[in-house]
Amino acid sequence: MTDAPLKLFNSLTRSLEVFEPVHPGVPGDPASPPEARVYTCGPTVYNYQHIGNMRAYVFADTLGRALQWKGYRLTHVVNITDVGHLTSDADEGEDKMEKMAAREGKSAWDIARYYQADFEADLARLNVQPKQHPRATEYVAAMIDWGKSIADKHCYELDSGLYFDVSTVADYGRLARAQTDDGESRIGDVEGKRNAADFAIWRRTPPGETRQMEWDSPWGRGAPGWHLECSVMGEALLGFPFDIHTGGIDHREIHHPNEIAQNQAYCCTNGLDDPRNSGAKIWMHNNFLVERSGKMSKSSGEFLRLQLLVDRGYHPLAYRMMCLQAHYRSELEFSWEGLGAALTRLKRMVMAYQNAKAKAEGVWIARALPEQLEKLRIAFDAAIAEDLNTPEALVVLEQVLSLKKVDSSAIVAWATAFDSVLGLGLADLTRADLRLRPKAATITEVEIEAALARRKEARAAKDFAASDAIRDELAGQGVEVMDGDPLGWEWKLS
Ligand code: AMP
Ligand code: ZN
């Protein structure tokens, strides 16, 4: 299956690199296949995730699927940040978890469990394959041990806790292409820090205060700094160096440079000319989903979360399609029209897949592929191998689905194989699944069908006035009648 070598863009070197696994396995021994170990920074579970966050996990999932397509056995960790970190990236400001707990009148622990479950439900709705989800609160003892091992050489204490001195490691900030001492002023910065970029390894609870989530440590009662957990869980579950570390592009600036500095300190490795000294061989970042009206911000009342899309009648996988239509390193602008177009594209694919399945006689038995299909298989593999070019891969999938004079069972088999990378779930979807009733709709599906049946009778009797009246009546209730729709839809909710 391995045709084109898999090339991935490493943010650390800012270049495309051929993926060479840390654990190549034993060639020819099916019991020791080559492995790929991936760590993805997960959510802080103090609130629902917005669809921008979910783009990061759709990207990481597609990466994992591509590695499997290339024959690697995948171990993929997405951590759950259930210790409240603070409201800025620099890990300063208020504790998000405790703030939400106070607002909702629940414990911080309940808040974390609730939003983790909601996050996992969203992942499933987007066909994200199951992954390991370690919780930060389960690794606090390991974080304290890590802190102890680096404290002497790399840290200093202030009243507010233990801080990492970024000048003690070589090449600090290379990932962000930033200077250590860029004079950048940070909101709510801590007095006494040696360098502007120094960050907390341990945050001591201020005297006279108690937090719901706090632990004893050699640096007083308090909580770990946010950056520490990913270093610790990455090392514990995947071992250094592991293959790939991913996150959203914002993490390239502060969170990941800080993780890298901690890893260098812990492993006693020095400069980053050898990327493995950072803890991972390749660092990958997805660009942002943007939305101009500010509906992505969790502080705005109704923000863009997957459930809102569903409430408006868009199947969650239309959002996955929308993500795949853009390259992960490009910014993607959200619009309802764009989401509608992605849904229509998905519907077409589902219908073509179903048609091929209906025509297929039996299951495709692996044998020499028809020439057209072999060409498309190579094209698909090349697209994915070129830093996950999913927009191109989707086009190739569509070409497979529209092949003429090719055994339908081969089309079904290869469309299914390609979809194992894209994750649209074509084999399990039907046209009907994709038609969701918006929450605000007042008319039921049965009523719509009944009205359409009456309209059909009126038209058959050439009573066009009655037929138009029914059409207008439906329009008044938000239902658009779709005469002559190429996909064969009779109506949609407008
Ligand atoms: P957070 O819970 O804020 O750490 O975010 C979870 C993940 O979503 C991180 O990998 C972020 O980099 C990523 N992320 C946040 N906002 C967006 C966005 N608008 N588009 C894409 N990814 C995002
Ligand atoms: Zn992280």
Side-chain angles (χ1 to χ4, degrees), residues 121-199:
D122 276 0
L123 291 178
R125 293 201 283 185
L126 289 168
N127 277 353
V128 169
Q129 291 180 323
K131 312 204 187 301
Q132 292 183 46
H133 292 302
R135 292 178 179 135
T137 47
E138 289 156 3
Y139 284 82
V140 175
M143 289 189 236
I144 293 173
D145 285 344
W146 181 298
K148 282 199 234 170
S149 79
I150 63 170
D152 286 351
K153 276 198 184 157
H154 298 277
C155 305
Y156 58 93
E157 269 189 84
L158 296 177
D159 286 347
S160 52
L162 184 72
Y163 285 81
F164 189 95
D165 180 342
V166 299
S167 70
T168 61
V169 290
D171 301 330
Y172 175 77
R174 178 177 291 192
L175 182 67
R177 298 289 187 270
Q179 304 284 311
T180 311
D181 209 350
D182 55 3
E184 178 198 347
S185 72
R186 288 161 191 261
I187 298 159
D189 212 350
V190 177
E191 206 170 313
K193 272 172 39 172
R194 294 181 189 163
N195 311 285
D198 290 354
F199 56 90

Side-chain angles (χ1 to χ4, degrees), residues 288-299:
F288 264 32
L289 178 79
V290 292
E291 202 268 337
R292 304 288 164 199
S293 69
K295 282 275 171 134
M296 201 99 76
S297 159
K298 291 182 190 174
S299 49

Side-chain angles (χ1 to χ4, degrees), residues 39-42 79 81 226-227 229-231 245-246 251 255-256 259:
Y39 186 96
T40 295
C41 283
N79 70 295
T81 302
W226 168 43
H227 311 296
E229 68 180 74
C230 290
S231 283
H245 196 311
T246 85
H251 286 349
H255 179 49
H256 290 169
E259 255 190 83

